[in-house]
Amino acid sequence: MSTSRPPSQSQAPESVGVVTPQLVELFSAEHPLKLEGGETLGPITVQYETYGRLNAQRDNAILACHALSGDAHAAGVHHAGDPAPGWWETMIGPGKAFDTNRYFVICSNILGGCKGTTGSLSTNPRTGKPYGTTFPLVTIHDMVEVQKALIDHLGIPKLLTVTGGSMGGMQALEWAVSFPDRVASVIPIATTHRLSAQSIAFNEVGRQAIFADPHWNCGNYYDGPGPDSGLALARMIGHITYLSEKSMHLKFGRNLRNRDHYAFNFETEFQVESYLHHQGKKFIQRFDANTYLYITKAMDYYDLAGAFPSLRASLKRATAKFMLIAFSSDWLFPPHDLKEIANALRTNGSDVTYMVMQSDYGHDAFLLETEGLTKAIAAFLRCQRPGVRGKEGHPHESR
Amino acid sequence: MNPVDPAPETAALSRNDYAAIVKLVKPGSKVLDLGCGGGQLLQLLREDKGVLGYGVDLSPDLILDCIGKGLSVFQGNLDEGLRDFEDQSFDYVILNQTLPVVHRPTFVMEEMLRVGRCGIVSFANFAYWRIRLRLLLNGRMPVDEILPNEWYDTPNIHHLTVRDFHVFCRHFGITILDAHYFRRLESGRVHQHMLHPNWFAGFALFVITRNA
């Protein structure tokens, strides 16, 4: 859910190197996307990046789906010396879990995002102004519909794998049931088939923090200062939920910043306070408040069982091979949620593997437990045997 | 979790327990392997019998081995039971060399026969004559090809004998449908009938079911 950048490894030799984001226009005013909420949207601009080469058989493509605050920039850097590599730099690259010597990896900014894909920050063609809160509510399924249109555009008949952590995992699950003939396997990580009341509660407190900021102005803040303090507060709340009690204590303890004794005032004293403030400040520089509202709402709405009588019945649509990975200390998307999905799939007779990785990192483990994830994912992908790497690969390459 | 699993994959079918199980499992059946280890047996069952197979194991490293073989596997602790598994949802539930390892053998056996129509249980026979002799003559816990570990680092915490198993089944209302005996794991024949198996079988394998 968070995208705290991994320790800087951008200059590591195994990076995909400099990548260029790409834009494509999908759907149109005449042939719009029909959203789950009933409205229509078109055209839709999608920002995406790709790493590695599509082979001649076009069967080595992997879609990586980002979490709440992520973007299309999953690996590599945007220019030489760029200090911020992609959000899954540790996992995508030559010789890594998603080995770009073997696989063609795609990552796109979600529908409703604020990083190049059409969302509330985009200009409404009818008004010439940003959509703001007039943008329709989008769902995880809508995001997946747009990704599927992108995969069509890239000429990929069937994805080898769809993967992602947190909300990215929801998209992977949604792919498996919505487009079973277009995906051979899925690797949902640290995710759930539906948020618990507790998780919805945290999202709502984040939204209320934005609503309560006078600069939010019902979403019309594009001409003036934005609701920075509200968005920063939302992010701070989020960050607490991404860490575990133990990891927070190990990282900060009760340590004070710049002093040995209490000051007996309300300055920022504890290191954990300053960490949260820093996270909030960093976030407002790169994220849009309205977008935060839309995406958290999409997560709250997500329910894989949905209109079906049971989770099992809903998952009957899936034909992909599943590998579900949970983390022991993740209390935001606890292991038993993924286990419930695994049990439903097994009862259906589906091909499913479920594992819980021991980790103290909490929900953020999906971005940090590189070694464990790499072993599992590399082994899982190896036995899927896509066609040998095409020497005359498809020209979708971004190096 | 599998205590006697030296097994490089190539050696797999030469193992008597694997060969016996592969032989008796009906093609296309639904199989659950409890304590599946690195998945050698499940892989054989998939390849030779086209079973729909699932494994359960506790060890993350062994789970990774299973993933590398393309198997369906669940990370879990057998001593916590099979509460996520529906009654009679598998044709066979297998406890291959795993029974002496679990903390709650009675509970695990009950769960096994709740979830499976048949159970397949195999274990090293502690009453095998060589083991008896070693204990008698040396006065120390036997360490040999059947029980390869020293007492202090064996995963087996409940040693049992062929006769113990019969008594256990009678006591808990379990019917033994079929039995297989072999002297060693890696060599020799599998016997369906053996005179005095409690003396002469190094390993025993039983197919069991709940009394109707």
Short mmCIF file of all heavy atoms in Angstrom, two decimals, chain A residues 119-132 134-135:
data_model
loop_
_atom_site.label_atom_id
_atom_site.label_comp_id
_atom_site.label_asym_id
_atom_site.label_seq_id
_atom_site.Cartn_x
_atom_site.Cartn_y
_atom_site.Cartn_z
N GLY A 119 -7.50 10.43 -14.40
CA GLY A 119 -8.04 10.41 -13.04
C GLY A 119 -8.60 11.77 -12.70
O GLY A 119 -8.77 12.61 -13.60
N SER A 120 -8.86 12.00 -11.44
CA SER A 120 -9.52 13.25 -11.05
C SER A 120 -8.65 14.47 -11.32
O SER A 120 -9.14 15.58 -11.45
CB SER A 120 -9.93 13.19 -9.58
OG SER A 120 -8.79 12.99 -8.77
N LEU A 121 -7.34 14.25 -11.43
CA LEU A 121 -6.41 15.35 -11.71
C LEU A 121 -6.40 15.73 -13.20
O LEU A 121 -5.98 16.82 -13.58
CB LEU A 121 -5.00 14.89 -11.28
CG LEU A 121 -3.89 15.91 -11.11
CD1 LEU A 121 -4.29 16.97 -10.09
CD2 LEU A 121 -2.63 15.19 -10.62
N SER A 122 -6.90 14.81 -14.05
CA SER A 122 -6.88 15.05 -15.50
C SER A 122 -7.90 16.12 -15.90
O SER A 122 -8.87 16.38 -15.17
CB SER A 122 -7.21 13.76 -16.26
OG SER A 122 -6.43 12.70 -15.79
N THR A 123 -7.65 16.67 -17.06
CA THR A 123 -8.56 17.70 -17.57
C THR A 123 -9.81 17.04 -18.16
O THR A 123 -9.71 16.14 -19.00
CB THR A 123 -7.86 18.54 -18.65
OG1 THR A 123 -6.66 19.06 -18.07
CG2 THR A 123 -8.74 19.68 -19.13
N ASN A 124 -10.96 17.50 -17.72
CA ASN A 124 -12.22 17.02 -18.29
C ASN A 124 -12.38 17.66 -19.66
O ASN A 124 -12.47 18.89 -19.77
CB ASN A 124 -13.37 17.43 -17.36
CG ASN A 124 -14.71 16.92 -17.86
OD1 ASN A 124 -14.84 16.49 -19.01
ND2 ASN A 124 -15.71 16.98 -16.98
N PRO A 125 -12.44 16.88 -20.75
CA PRO A 125 -12.51 17.49 -22.09
C PRO A 125 -13.75 18.37 -22.27
O PRO A 125 -13.74 19.30 -23.07
CB PRO A 125 -12.55 16.27 -23.02
CG PRO A 125 -12.85 15.08 -22.16
CD PRO A 125 -12.42 15.42 -20.77
N ARG A 126 -14.79 18.10 -21.49
CA ARG A 126 -16.02 18.90 -21.65
C ARG A 126 -15.91 20.27 -21.03
O ARG A 126 -16.55 21.21 -21.48
CB ARG A 126 -17.21 18.14 -21.03
CG ARG A 126 -17.64 16.98 -21.90
CD ARG A 126 -18.95 16.37 -21.44
NE ARG A 126 -18.94 14.96 -21.83
CZ ARG A 126 -19.03 13.96 -21.00
NH1 ARG A 126 -19.19 14.16 -19.72
NH2 ARG A 126 -18.99 12.72 -21.45
N THR A 127 -15.10 20.42 -19.99
CA THR A 127 -15.03 21.70 -19.28
C THR A 127 -13.67 22.39 -19.45
O THR A 127 -13.55 23.58 -19.18
CB THR A 127 -15.25 21.50 -17.77
OG1 THR A 127 -14.19 20.66 -17.27
CG2 THR A 127 -16.59 20.84 -17.48
N GLY A 128 -12.68 21.61 -19.85
CA GLY A 128 -11.34 22.18 -19.95
C GLY A 128 -10.68 22.37 -18.60
O GLY A 128 -9.63 23.00 -18.50
N LYS A 129 -11.31 21.87 -17.54
CA LYS A 129 -10.76 22.00 -16.19
C LYS A 129 -10.55 20.60 -15.60
O LYS A 129 -11.13 19.63 -16.08
CB LYS A 129 -11.76 22.76 -15.30
CG LYS A 129 -11.85 24.23 -15.63
CD LYS A 129 -12.86 24.87 -14.68
CE LYS A 129 -13.03 26.35 -15.00
NZ LYS A 129 -14.25 26.89 -14.43
N PRO A 130 -9.74 20.53 -14.54
CA PRO A 130 -9.57 19.21 -13.92
C PRO A 130 -10.92 18.65 -13.44
O PRO A 130 -11.78 19.41 -12.99
CB PRO A 130 -8.65 19.49 -12.73
CG PRO A 130 -7.96 20.76 -13.05
CD PRO A 130 -8.93 21.56 -13.89
N TYR A 131 -11.05 17.32 -13.55
CA TYR A 131 -12.29 16.68 -13.10
C TYR A 131 -12.57 16.97 -11.63
O TYR A 131 -13.71 17.22 -11.25
CB TYR A 131 -12.19 15.15 -13.24
CG TYR A 131 -12.39 14.60 -14.62
CD1 TYR A 131 -11.31 14.18 -15.39
CD2 TYR A 131 -13.68 14.43 -15.13
CE1 TYR A 131 -11.49 13.62 -16.64
CE2 TYR A 131 -13.88 13.87 -16.39
CZ TYR A 131 -12.78 13.46 -17.13
OH TYR A 131 -12.97 12.91 -18.36
N GLY A 132 -11.53 16.92 -10.82
CA GLY A 132 -11.77 17.04 -9.37
C GLY A 132 -12.74 15.98 -8.92
O GLY A 132 -12.68 14.83 -9.36
N THR A 134 -15.73 15.70 -9.73
CA THR A 134 -16.74 15.31 -10.72
C THR A 134 -16.30 14.04 -11.45
O THR A 134 -17.06 13.48 -12.23
CB THR A 134 -16.97 16.42 -11.78
OG1 THR A 134 -15.76 16.57 -12.56
CG2 THR A 134 -17.33 17.74 -11.12
N PHE A 135 -15.09 13.60 -11.20
CA PHE A 135 -14.63 12.35 -11.80
C PHE A 135 -15.47 11.20 -11.23
O PHE A 135 -15.76 11.19 -10.03
CB PHE A 135 -13.14 12.13 -11.46
CG PHE A 135 -12.48 11.05 -12.28
CD1 PHE A 135 -12.19 11.26 -13.63
CD2 PHE A 135 -12.16 9.83 -11.72
CE1 PHE A 135 -11.58 10.27 -14.38
CE2 PHE A 135 -11.54 8.83 -12.47
CZ PHE A 135 -11.25 9.06 -13.81
#
